[in-house]
């Protein structure tokens, strides 16, 4: 078996030889020695050490260069040296131990060090490193288990959607993806493409509501030179750009009626005609369309052609709103915390307080996953704790689930347009809601309201409110 290598960095010869002797007595270990920081770093850089034992003060009084374990830790971590670093010091000092563990040392040993102590600390470090690795592996497995092409979900409804994607991904049949705003329609459409045999060809997305009607036709089908005033050269349309791949028609409900006819023809004939051209071009493109609107209703209103509706409504994936699949909320929160921890440095948020979790679970999420993502990102920026607190969440999240006793259900109908009068009414209302939510705890209510406690007390008196 390969021996575990241990690097000993100490300016005192006696300590180095004592520790080397200990290490040699331990089965399966092999010591290396360094007398100062630079020598230690250079060895650590070029070798795979399981452990590094580093003295706190290196060369404080002797001739050699000075250094401390703090500097060693900082430089070793910056260089990505992954060994277990254990700091040794002349005596047990709690603040030193805290300081070095914050910098990434796995343990702290006070001299004089006995054989048994050293053996115990090394074994403990190895045990921890093993747990850490297993934990990371486990987390990755969980992530993989509940994710399909970046779609994080564990609810049975979403699992059914994953199955449908698996089944239909390789067919050319048009797929219609529907769901409220922010439920992940585009994500699902991308998953359909990037898991299909078409994945090496382009995925081209177009927002049918985002391009003026007079430009949309040439965007989709292209045009020839001179087709209209600005057409100084011919241009390929998005259908041709997506050749062999997938064209994602987002907000299909917004497609103008004139283009609906043309799209229907493409779906039937598999060919397009660029604006101003008399020839047609064969296209092999899979269409995935998405809409947050009720297409059936648009058909009834005469805004969407019935024949096109039937043509694209062959295979429909309906993504349920987030409030109907609460199992996914926790998983998504974890996912977004991890995502934004990486972006918003040096924050390290580990989770959500139980109270905040309750607010997040009770909220109705009209903006679905997109809204949840924004709320988590915002909370990570605002929070001063390692878990997200209720006060890190937007007020709108907790004032919507107002206890009935506060009269929160009744609508706010202004008697006049006076901002001054209405602002007072609104203020008084927000205060009663906050007091109801915190069961009369004025300190917490003031936090929710983002005002000081004296200000709250003053306003309660002014509005005649009791808690
Ligand atoms: N299940 C999910 N897992 C991870 N991220 C998700 C999930 N669902 C949605 N998102 C994220 O939420 C955001 C909105 O998703 P997407 O754009 O796909 O929604 P949409 O239904 O197309 O919304 P809209 O109707 O507003 O266009 C994106 O940032 C997306 O990555
Ligand atoms: Mg979208």
């Amino acid at each position: 078996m390969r021996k575990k290598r241990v690097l000993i960095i100490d300016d005192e010869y006696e300590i180095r030889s004592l520790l080397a002797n200990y290490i040699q007595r331990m089965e399966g270990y092999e010591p290396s020695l360094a007398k100062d920081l630079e020598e230690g770093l250079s060895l650590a850089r070029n070798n795979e050490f399981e452990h590094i034992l580093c003295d706190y003060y290196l060369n404080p009084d002797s001739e050699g260069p000075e250094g401390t374990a703090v500097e060693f830790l900082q430089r070793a971590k910056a260089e990505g040296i992954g060994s277990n670093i254990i700091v040794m010091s002349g005596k047990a000092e709690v603040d030193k131990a805290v300081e070095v563990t914050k910098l990434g040392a796995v343990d702290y040993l006070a001299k004089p060090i006995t054989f048994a102590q050293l053996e115990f600390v090394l074994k403990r470090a190895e045990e921890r490193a093993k747990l850490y690795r297993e934990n990371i592996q486990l987390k990755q497995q969980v992530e993989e288990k509940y994710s399909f092409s970046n779609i994080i979900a564990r609810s049975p409804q979403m699992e059914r959607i994953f199955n449908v994607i698996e089944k239909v991904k390789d067919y050319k049949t048009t797929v219609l993806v529907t769901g409220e705003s922010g439920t992940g329609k585009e994500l699902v459409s991308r998953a359909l493409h990037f898991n299909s045999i078409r994945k090496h060809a382009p995925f081209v997305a177009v927002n049918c509501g985002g391009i003026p009607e007079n430009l949309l036709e040439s965007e989709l089908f292209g045009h020839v030179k001179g087709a209209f005033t600005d057409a100084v050269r011919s241009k390929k349309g998005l259908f041709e750009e997506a050749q062999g791949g997938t064209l994602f028609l987002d907000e299909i409900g917004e497609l103008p009626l004139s283009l609906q006819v043309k799209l229907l023809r493409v779906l039937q004939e598999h060919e397009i005609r660029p604006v101003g051209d008399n020839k047609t071009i064969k296209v092999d493109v899979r269409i995935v369309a998405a809409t947050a609107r009720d297409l059936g209703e648009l058909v009834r209103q005469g805004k969407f052609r019935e024949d096109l509706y039937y043509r694209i409504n062959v295979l429909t994936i309906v993504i349920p709103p987030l409030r109907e699949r609460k199992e996914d909320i926790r998983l998504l929160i974890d996912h977004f915390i991890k995502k934004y921890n990486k972006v918003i440095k040096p924050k390290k948020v580990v989770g959500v307080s139980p109270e905040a979790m309750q607010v997040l679970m009770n909220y109705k999420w009209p903006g679905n996953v997109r809204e949840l993502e924004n709320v988590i990102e915002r909370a990570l920026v605002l929070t001063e704790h390692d878990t997200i607190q209720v006060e890190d969440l937007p007020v709108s999240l907790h004032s919507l689930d107002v206890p009935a006793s506060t009269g929160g259900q009744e609508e706010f109908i202004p008697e006049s347009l006076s901002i001054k009068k209405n602002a007072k009414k609104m203020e008084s209302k927000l205060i009663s809601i906050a007091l109801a939510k915190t069961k009369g705890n004025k300190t917490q209510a003031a936090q929710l309201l983002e005002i000081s406690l004296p200000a709250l007390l003053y306003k309660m008196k002014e509005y005649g409110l009791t808690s």
Side-chain angles (χ1 to χ4, degrees):
M1 212 179 74
R2 234 181 87 226
K3 288 199 170 177
K4 290 186 179 140
R5 304 188 57 191
V6 183
L7 173 63
I8 299 157
I9 312 173
D10 202 302
D11 52 322
E12 280 179 67
Y13 172 77
E14 291 75 26
I15 305 272
R16 286 201 300 275
S17 19
L18 175 77
L19 293 173
N21 177 276
Y22 284 171
I23 300 287
Q24 269 156 349
R25 276 164 56 198
M26 290 168 55
E27 196 157 339
Y29 289 82
E30 177 188 320
S32 296
L33 305 174
K35 60 184 178 318
D36 59 43
L37 191 136
E38 294 304 333
E39 193 184 358
L41 264 176
S42 136
L43 278 171
R45 223 176 266 138
N46 300 313
N47 296 276
E48 288 271 323
F49 290 110
E50 177 90 14
H51 306 283
I52 299 175
L53 298 165
C54 182
D55 193 19
Y56 191 90
Y57 291 113
L58 294 159
N59 292 319
D61 347 278
S62 66
E63 296 292 293
E66 279 199 21
T68 65
V70 169
E71 192 183 339
F72 179 78
L73 273 164
Q74 284 166 336
R75 291 176 58 184
K77 292 290 162 190
E79 290 189 32
I81 292 168
S83 320
N84 299 317
I85 301 175
I86 296 153
V87 175
M88 309 175 289
S89 165
K91 47 183 183 303
E93 285 163 297
V94 178
D95 41 346
K96 257 192 211 149
V98 172
E99 179 191 17
V100 297
T101 25
K102 270 193 184 149
L103 289 170
V106 298
D107 222 325
Y108 178 86
L109 271 167
K111 293 176 189 170
I113 299 165
T114 66
F115 176 80
Q117 271 171 349
L118 182 65
E119 192 179 30
F120 174 76
V121 163
L122 295 191
K123 298 277 183 226
R124 183 161 71 182
E126 283 162 27
E127 196 53 37
R128 280 192 194 149
K130 191 168 147 240
L131 277 176
Y132 179 75
R133 278 194 300 270
E134 283 172 357
N135 199 5
I136 292 208
Q137 254 177 13
L138 216 66
K139 278 202 171 142
Q140 254 163 11
Q141 282 168 5
V142 169
E143 187 97 309
E144 275 161 26
K145 182 159 179 229
Y146 295 118
S147 109
F148 182 89
S149 284
N150 304 325
I151 312 174
I152 310 289
R154 73 190 327 165
S155 59
Q157 299 100 304
M158 289 303 287
E159 227 154 75
R160 272 201 292 279
I161 290 180
F162 292 169
N163 288 335
V164 172
I165 295 175
E166 270 299 332
K167 265 192 214 146
V168 308
K169 60 188 175 32
D170 291 331
Y171 295 105
K172 210 177 153 184
T173 323
T174 301
V175 177
L176 176 66
V177 185
T178 68
E180 288 180 10
S181 173
T183 44
K185 296 186 291 298
E186 179 155 356
L187 214 54
V188 164
S189 307
R190 284 179 186 275
L192 267 168
H193 174 79
F194 288 103
N195 288 287
S196 77
I197 42 172
R198 296 176 170 262
K199 65 175 171 233
H200 297 297
F203 174 89
V204 176
V206 52
N207 184 340
C208 302
I211 300 170
E213 183 170 351
N214 57 340
L215 295 184
L216 190 57
E217 182 176 2
S218 93
E219 271 299 309
L220 288 174
F221 307 121
H223 62 247
V224 293
K225 189 175 160 186
F228 44 88
T229 330
D230 293 335
V232 285
R233 60 180 68 88
S234 54
K235 182 179 167 283
K236 258 195 201 174
L238 296 173
F239 265 97
E240 263 189 282
E241 299 278 352
Q243 193 66 272
T246 305
L247 182 64
F248 175 52
L249 298 174
D250 204 0
E251 319 279 2
I252 185 95
E254 310 292 324
L255 195 69
L257 278 165
S258 62
L259 283 173
Q260 291 179 20
V261 196
K262 293 185 174 156
L263 176 62
L264 182 64
R265 230 201 20 243
V266 182
L267 292 177
Q268 280 162 346
E269 320 284 337
H270 308 290
E271 54 186 31
I272 53 155
R273 186 196 300 275
V275 179
D277 203 345
N278 47 20
K279 293 185 302 292
T280 55
I281 302 168
K282 281 267 166 225
V283 283
D284 166 31
V285 170
R286 200 246 184 108
I287 304 286
V288 177
T291 181
R293 304 182 60 178
D294 182 348
L295 279 191
E297 182 54 35
L298 290 179
V299 169
R300 279 187 285 282
Q301 292 172 2
K303 292 182 184 147
F304 203 84
R305 291 180 66 102
E306 196 169 11
D307 45 9
L308 180 60
Y309 175 64
Y310 287 121
R311 185 80 209 189
I312 60 171
N313 198 15
V314 183
L315 233 164
T316 303
I317 297 180
V318 183
I319 309 181
L322 191 56
R323 64 185 162 281
E324 285 173 18
R325 45 183 171 107
K326 292 206 163 169
E327 307 93 304
D328 293 342
I329 296 181
R330 248 172 232 276
L331 208 63
L332 284 163
I333 292 173
D334 277 350
H335 171 71
F336 292 133
I337 288 181
K338 236 182 278 162
K339 175 173 170 186
Y340 288 103
N341 262 338
K342 280 195 203 130
V343 187
I344 308 168
K345 285 182 171 156
K347 290 272 168 80
K348 261 281 161 278
V349 170
V350 295
V352 177
S353 78
E355 299 78 26
M357 186 55 94
Q358 207 186 344
V359 172
L360 292 168
M361 294 301 285
N362 287 341
Y363 183 58
K364 299 285 178 267
W365 299 110
N368 295 290
V369 185
R370 179 181 294 113
E371 186 181 11
L372 175 62
E373 178 165 2
N374 292 342
V375 164
I376 299 298
E377 182 184 5
R378 175 185 181 276
L380 250 62
V381 172
L382 289 180
T383 194
E384 286 166 3
H385 307 88
D386 58 1
T387 53
I388 295 173
Q389 307 292 312
V390 173
E391 64 261 27
D392 303 325
L393 304 173
V395 180
S396 53
L397 255 65
H398 23 101
S399 53
L400 282 181
D401 62 314
V402 178
S405 62
T406 60
Q409 258 76 341
E410 41 176 276
E411 225 180 312
F412 176 70
I413 304 162
E415 284 159 26
S416 76
L417 290 179
S418 156
I419 289 184
K420 211 168 164 186
K421 274 184 207 148
N422 284 311
K424 287 201 168 187
K425 257 193 209 164
M426 190 56 98
E427 216 173 66
S428 145
K429 184 144 194 135
L430 290 174
I431 292 173
S432 5
I433 293 173
L435 286 168
K437 276 207 71 73
T438 58
K439 302 199 172 57
N441 182 325
K442 299 189 192 87
T443 313
Q444 279 177 20
Q447 273 172 7
L448 286 181
L449 293 161
E450 297 184 356
I451 58 174
S452 69
L453 181 60
L456 173 63
L457 296 175
Y458 173 80
K459 284 175 194 292
M460 282 174 69
K461 207 168 145 205
E462 185 185 354
Y463 301 133
L465 295 169
T466 49
S467 52

